[in-house]
Amino acid sequence: MSGANGPAKLSRRWTLLAVIAVLALGAAGLYTYQAFTRYQQRTTGASAAEVSQVLPAGDTIIVRNTATGTGYGMLATVSAADPDGARVLDQRACDRVYASGPVTSCLRTVRGVPTTFEMDVLDSQGQLVETAPLSGLPSRTRVSPGGLIATTAFVTGHSYATDGFSTQTEIRSSDGTDYGNLENYTLMVNGKELTAVDRNVWGVSFVDEDRFYATAASGGKTWLMKGSIKARAMSSVIQNAECPSVSPNKDKVAYKKRSPRLGPVHWDIAVLDLATGKETSIPLDDGFDDQLEWLDNDTLLFGQPRAGEVGDSDIYKVRAQKNAVPELFIEHAWSPSVQRTGR
């Protein structure tokens, strides 16, 4: 009897596995269909933002357009002097974008089976120079005036991931020269080398073609790090700082600072004067989770998702001074990058 029941039991197991597989594939298919439907709804019809074919004169801001309709998710350019005005839409979709000098870095998700992630490098005319693979979900990107490109991606498969995530941050030049994964640089925290297996690095901001600032994390702590590409090394500047941004005149660094005021996952803005070491805090009732961008030497920009509107966001500006209050700056936009005509 047992011999006769064996094949029957095995058959039932295979049948059950087949049913589970079909249900799983069906659920995945339903999710993909729903996601595609939502994307279609966002990207069809007239644009919710005013669109122009003429690039604005003077300083501009390159953003990811999040206005529903034609051009959703595409790279867009607006006037820094008239941010509410018409925007010029590119035909290139970006999750994160940053431009400096003649180089634009566009991080994007390529949806499919499987979904992949890429970086497009564009020249000053917006023409594609190169496409390179990303190791995971696009998170941060910055470009130096000379064309160095920093990218941060969320990656999976690291069992030591701090706070539930792990990152991979790399620097390369626009000609393809690889300057490596920053986790492999020498990391010095308070004079001691950080060798912990859970170390993470993210959020680069360039000072010049050698020096940069970034975030390092280990054991639930974060540090603002000052680094050198030539030395392949970074050293800590201050604790509890994330996603730095160097001011245009290079005398200040702004960053996210974790604050327990409104819960364990709440970030305020802080600005560090590099000459004096004085830190200025800018509390935000709603918090934020973005890498800051400098509009000018006294004003910061950051993105904020729109409450209740999945896939949409706005850009706010705030003075880099104590207790400043953010103001809406650009509706339906994300990932600002200021292009100054003088540089």
Side-chain angles (χ1 to χ4, degrees), residues 119 121 129-130 132 147-149 171-180:
M119 173 184 67
V121 180
V129 174
E130 180 189 14
L148 295 177
I149 303 168
I171 294 178
R172 54 176 288 157
S173 66
S174 54
D175 65 9
T177 303
D178 184 7
Y179 293 102

Side-chain angles (χ1 to χ4, degrees), residues 2 72 99 117 121 142 148 180 183 216 220 222 255 313 319 323:
S2 60
Y72 174 84
F117 310 100
V121 180
R142 284 292 187 267
L148 295 177
E183 282 185 22
T222 62
Y255 43 86
S313 53
R319 299 284 290 178
N323 296 324

Side-chain angles (χ1 to χ4, degrees), residues 7-30:
K9 288 182 179 179
L10 185 60
S11 177
R12 286 196 295 272
R13 287 176 183 172
W14 279 113
T15 301
L16 180 59
L17 286 173
V19 170
I20 291 172
V22 169
L23 290 174
L25 288 172
L30 178 61

Side-chain angles (χ1 to χ4, degrees), residues 5-179:
N5 288 336
K9 288 182 179 179
L10 185 60
S11 177
R12 286 196 295 272
R13 287 176 183 172
W14 279 113
T15 301
L16 180 59
L17 286 173
V19 170
I20 291 172
V22 169
L23 290 174
L25 288 172
L30 178 61
Y31 175 82
T32 300
Y33 172 77
Q34 291 174 336
F36 180 75
T37 300
R38 288 193 296 269
Y39 181 77
Q40 287 285 83
Q41 291 171 343
R42 293 194 198 108
T43 57
T44 55
S47 175
E50 182 183 356
V51 178
S52 172
Q53 300 297 319
V54 181
L55 284 170
D59 292 353
T60 58
I61 304 174
I62 295 175
V63 301
R64 179 180 189 264
N65 175 54
T66 63
T68 56
T70 302
Y72 174 84
M74 302 299 177
L75 184 153
T77 303
V78 302
S79 168
D82 183 23
D84 290 330
R87 59 190 64 180
V88 178
L89 297 178
D90 196 289
Q91 295 305 305
R92 191 174 307 278
C94 303
D95 296 336
R96 272 283 182 178
V97 62
Y98 198 85
S100 181
V103 176
T104 297
S105 171
C106 166
L107 308 189
R108 62 195 187 96
T109 301
V110 183
R111 291 173 176 83
V113 182
T115 294
T116 58
F117 310 100
E118 296 177 344
M119 173 184 67
D120 284 347
V121 180
L122 314 177
D123 64 17
S124 58
Q125 303 303 312
Q127 299 300 308
L128 180 66
V129 174
E130 180 189 14
T131 296
L134 277 180
S135 56
L137 190 69
S139 174
R140 305 281 187 254
T141 187
R142 284 292 187 267
V143 180
S144 75
L148 295 177
I149 303 168
T151 59
T152 297
F154 289 117
V155 296
T156 58
H158 292 181
S159 61
Y160 54 80
T162 301
D163 290 340
F165 71 88
S166 183
T167 59
Q168 183 165 313
T169 298
E170 300 173 309
I171 294 178
R172 54 176 288 157
S173 66
S174 54
D175 65 9
T177 303
D178 184 7
Y179 293 102

Side-chain angles (χ1 to χ4, degrees), residues 314-332:
D314 299 312
I315 293 171
Y316 288 79
K317 69 175 182 179
V318 64
R319 299 284 290 178
Q321 60 189 36
K322 186 176 181 179
N323 296 324
V325 178
E327 302 174 30
L328 183 62
F329 186 61
I330 306 174
E331 289 189 294
H332 308 298

